Amino acid sequence: MLIFTLRKLNLFLFTMLLLTVLSFSLSFLFPGDQLTNLTGQLNITPSEQTALAKEYSHESNIAWQYAAYLGHILNGELGLSMTNQTNITDEILRLLPATIELSLFAFVIATVIGIPLGFIAAIRHHKPADHVILAFAMIGYSIPVFWLGLLAILTFSIQLGWLPSGGQISLLYEIERTTGFMLVDILLSDSPYKWQALQNNFAHMILPALVIAAAPATVFIRLARTAMLEVLQTSYIKAARAKGLSFSQIILRHAIRNALIKVVQHIGLQFANLVTLAMITEVIFNWPGIGRWLIESIYQRDYTAIQSGLLVLSSFIFFVHIITDYTYAALNPLARGAKYGSR
């Protein structure tokens, strides 16, 4: 496990280095002054401009400029927003927890719905239940997320009035910010209306989370179905049948765990897709997350915010990949010896 950890740490450092190189190169590709794109500082005096150029090694070669940029990132200095001159690091720390909270909630929904349905489809292979679940998966995967979001608002918010159409929590509840995660902050608050606030937050989260979870859930259905069908064809399952175990015993004791190992292997890849869907959904549901902030930055051509937002989101997705790999290695010891590109 030590060698596996060292390999992952090496991959993590190398990937982070590449991400910072990509982010740094964007300052040259965006229109305008490269130093302004990096720092986001506008309307500064000539003396401030000189100090800033020295701070970022602007007069040195490209390697020293990159080293200075990397040093600022390691110190948590991502510059200022070109739109409103706010500190980008503070903005990201304020908005990122809302995106993580919504993405994790959607991920749980997609997993809880998708994997069991995939197993049921495999167990009922070539039966009506299998065809119905596959049809549901195909339809769910084909629906564009923006159309599904608007349809959900029209149906459940406007016509039926069951759920809120936007926001994170009603303005009636004043929750003090402690961690940035609304659910945690509500539980930590001293508000006498804590449980009502918790219900209200859940009500605001259900629709966007379901919309985000739709596409990953359909992918999990197909992954789980394929994995279970492969497991049911293996020799140890046939041996278990020969021993006289009932079909339910074979499924519960042997098939589900081994099929789950194959599904977990692909979960990290789907998380990147889920975060992309979350960015679009945050705009539709006015969710105060980093995805909506990043898309607004693109509209406003806030180049400093775009660089920093892409860097932070990419790092977050890669961090989830690392956790998924560890989970897969914990479930399947053979994976700890696998080389990159061998699976």
Side-chain angles (χ1 to χ4, degrees), residues 19 30 33 49 71 129 181 189 250 253 285 342:
L19 287 174
F30 288 141
D33 180 60
Q49 176 79 16
F181 295 92
S189 72
I250 292 172
R253 292 183 186 178
F285 288 90
S342 62

Side-chain angles (χ1 to χ4, degrees), residues 43-229:
N43 304 320
I44 56 177
T45 62
S47 59
E48 290 173 336
Q49 176 79 16
T50 305
L52 208 59
K54 185 179 180 182
E55 189 179 336
Y56 279 84
S57 302
H58 196 54
E59 303 300 330
S60 305
N61 59 43
I62 192 74
W64 282 110
Q65 290 183 37
Y66 170 71
Y69 172 70
L70 196 59
H72 281 81
I73 289 181
L74 292 176
N75 288 327
E77 299 170 5
L78 297 175
L80 301 177
S81 166
M82 287 183 174
T83 306
N84 49 25
Q85 293 293 284
T86 55
N87 189 297
I88 290 178
T89 304
D90 294 339
E91 286 287 298
I92 289 176
L93 290 177
R94 183 176 64 84
L95 299 171
L96 186 60
T99 297
I100 294 176
E101 199 170 40
L102 181 62
S103 300
L104 289 180
F105 192 48
F107 180 75
V108 170
I109 292 175
T111 306
V112 170
I113 293 176
I115 294 178
L117 283 180
F119 287 164
I120 292 172
I123 293 169
R124 301 291 181 187
H125 190 44
H126 287 326
K127 292 183 179 177
D130 182 25
H131 299 312
V132 170
I133 292 172
L134 280 182
F136 167 74
M138 184 61 70
I139 293 171
Y141 190 75
S142 304
I143 297 177
V145 65
F146 63 88
W147 187 81
L148 184 61
L150 294 175
L151 187 66
I153 291 175
L154 179 65
T155 305
F156 297 103
S157 298
I158 297 176
Q159 293 188 348
L160 299 176
W162 290 352
L163 295 167
S165 61
Q168 194 175 19
I169 192 170
S170 172
L171 296 176
L172 294 174
Y173 303 100
E174 294 185 1
I175 303 299
E176 184 181 357
R177 181 184 176 85
T178 307
T179 65
F181 295 92
M182 183 59 73
L183 287 175
V184 179
D185 288 347
I186 292 173
L187 293 174
L188 295 177
S189 72
D190 297 326
S191 171
Y193 304 104
K194 180 188 298 185
W195 298 112
Q196 290 90 336
L198 200 62
Q199 292 174 7
N200 187 272
N201 181 233
F202 267 119
H204 280 79
M205 201 184 296
I206 287 174
L207 269 190
L210 284 174
V211 170
I212 296 170
T218 58
V219 175
F220 288 153
I221 287 175
R222 288 184 290 179
L223 285 174
R225 179 179 179 273
T226 305
M228 180 61 84
L229 286 175

